[in-house]
């Protein structure tokens, strides 16, 4: 019957409209019966409450970035959740390589994005920065930056960047950058501590 109607010029638009309605209705029915349909939702419907992008630069044009934040359906540590984003392998030297470590098993031991469960009164992110020069020897100066508006969108009163020993280096709520001397090859360890009053 559809072929018969399609041969009549005045019925072509009607038939095309009916086909579109059938296809869209069938697709909706498939989604409704599919337990994995939630993964087809846009990222705006996921549970991310806030996040902060940190960028890293050095004079030889080395660049990298990481993202930390909180989401209502994220985990602190194990098990791996859908927000844990594996860090890609590094490029050829020279390069900067930065990652978060949340004590997850490989290949999730190095993360580009690390989200924790929201809300909380204290959180810590372990951050690592590695400089690999062409000669594998020469140190460099690394500048890490972040957006103050993103930092201030969190629920925490204090956000502090510390060294590997826990010594405060920067109040991330007041400043938006930190510069440090980075040796070659050896990963430098930092901690971002977020806490309430």
């Amino acid at each position: 019957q559809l072929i018969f109607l399609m041969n009549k010029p005045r019925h072509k638009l009607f038939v095309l409209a009916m086909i579109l309605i059938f296809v869209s209705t069938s697709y909706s029915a498939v989604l409704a019966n599919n337990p994995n349909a939630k993964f087809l939702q846009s990222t705006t419907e996921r549970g991310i409450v806030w996040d902060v992008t940190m960028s890293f630069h050095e004079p030889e044009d080395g660049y990298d970035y990481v993202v930390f934040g909180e989401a209502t359906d994220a985990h602190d540590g194990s098990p791996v959740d859908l927000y844990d984003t594996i860090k890609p392998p590094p490029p050829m030297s020279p390069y900067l390589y930065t990652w978060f470590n949340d004590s997850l098993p490989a290949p999730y031991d190095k993360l580009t994005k690390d989200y924790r469960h929201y809300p909380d009164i204290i959180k810590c992110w372990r951050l690592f920065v590695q400089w690999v020069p062409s000669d594998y020897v020469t140190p460099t100066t690394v500048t890490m930056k972040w957006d103050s508006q993103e930092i201030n969108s969190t629920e925490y009163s204090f956000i502090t960047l510390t060294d590997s020993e826990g010594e405060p280096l920067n109040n991330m709520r007041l400043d938006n950058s930190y510069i440090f001397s980075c040796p070659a090859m050896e990963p430098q360890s930092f901690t971002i501590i977020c806490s309430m009053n």
Side-chain angles (χ1 to χ4, degrees), residues 35-47:
N36 297 320
K38 63 181 180 179
F39 294 108
L40 301 175
Q41 295 174 349
S42 68
T43 54
T44 57
E45 295 179 46
R46 291 161 61 183

Side-chain angles (χ1 to χ4, degrees), residues 65 76 94 125 163 188:
Y65 78 98
D76 292 359
W125 280 265
D163 64 14
Q188 301 300 293

Side-chain angles (χ1 to χ4, degrees), residues 153-184:
S153 69
T154 74
E155 75 271 26
Y156 296 104
S157 305
F158 303 99
I159 302 180
T160 307
L161 179 71
T162 75
D163 64 14
S164 58
E165 304 298 321
E167 290 296 320
L169 301 173
N170 186 285
N171 182 338
M172 297 178 71
R173 276 193 166 277
L174 298 180
D175 301 317
N176 62 1
S177 66
Y178 177 72
I179 301 172
F180 67 100
S181 178
C182 190

Side-chain angles (χ1 to χ4, degrees), residues 104-166:
L104 297 173
Y108 291 91
D109 53 339
K110 293 181 179 177
L111 300 174
T112 297
K113 296 181 179 181
D114 186 9
Y115 288 85
R116 306 294 175 83
H117 181 73
Y118 173 90
D120 208 339
I121 58 173
I122 187 166
K123 283 283 195 301
C124 296
W125 280 265
R126 292 169 55 210
L127 171 68
F128 293 86
V129 180
Q130 185 179 31
W131 163 240
V132 179
S134 300
D135 62 5
Y136 304 105
V137 175
T138 306
T140 191
T141 299
V142 174
T143 301
M144 61 173 79
K145 294 183 177 181
W146 53 89
D147 187 328
S148 298
Q149 289 185 333
E150 291 179 344
I151 286 286
N152 291 325
S153 69
T154 74
E155 75 271 26
Y156 296 104
S157 305
F158 303 99
I159 302 180
T160 307
L161 179 71
T162 75
D163 64 14
S164 58
E165 304 298 321

Side-chain angles (χ1 to χ4, degrees), residues 38-128:
K38 63 181 180 179
F39 294 108
L40 301 175
Q41 295 174 349
S42 68
T43 54
T44 57
E45 295 179 46
R46 291 161 61 183
I48 295 174
V49 178
W50 62 264
D51 54 21
V52 175
T53 300
M54 297 183 69
S55 62
F56 301 80
H57 303 265
E58 67 83 39
E60 288 192 31
D61 292 330
Y63 171 81
D64 204 0
Y65 78 98
V66 291
V67 177
F68 69 100
E70 288 184 325
T72 55
D73 53 347
H75 301 293
D76 292 359
S78 188
V80 173
D81 59 47
L82 70 152
Y83 300 102
D84 294 323
T85 305
I86 299 170
K87 187 75 179 179
M92 294 182 63
S93 61
Y95 64 81
L96 268 178
Y97 197 59
T98 62
W99 69 91
F100 286 114
N101 185 320
D102 195 16
S103 300
L104 297 173
Y108 291 91
D109 53 339
K110 293 181 179 177
L111 300 174
T112 297
K113 296 181 179 181
D114 186 9
Y115 288 85
R116 306 294 175 83
H117 181 73
Y118 173 90
D120 208 339
I121 58 173
I122 187 166
K123 283 283 195 301
C124 296
W125 280 265
R126 292 169 55 210
L127 171 68
F128 293 86

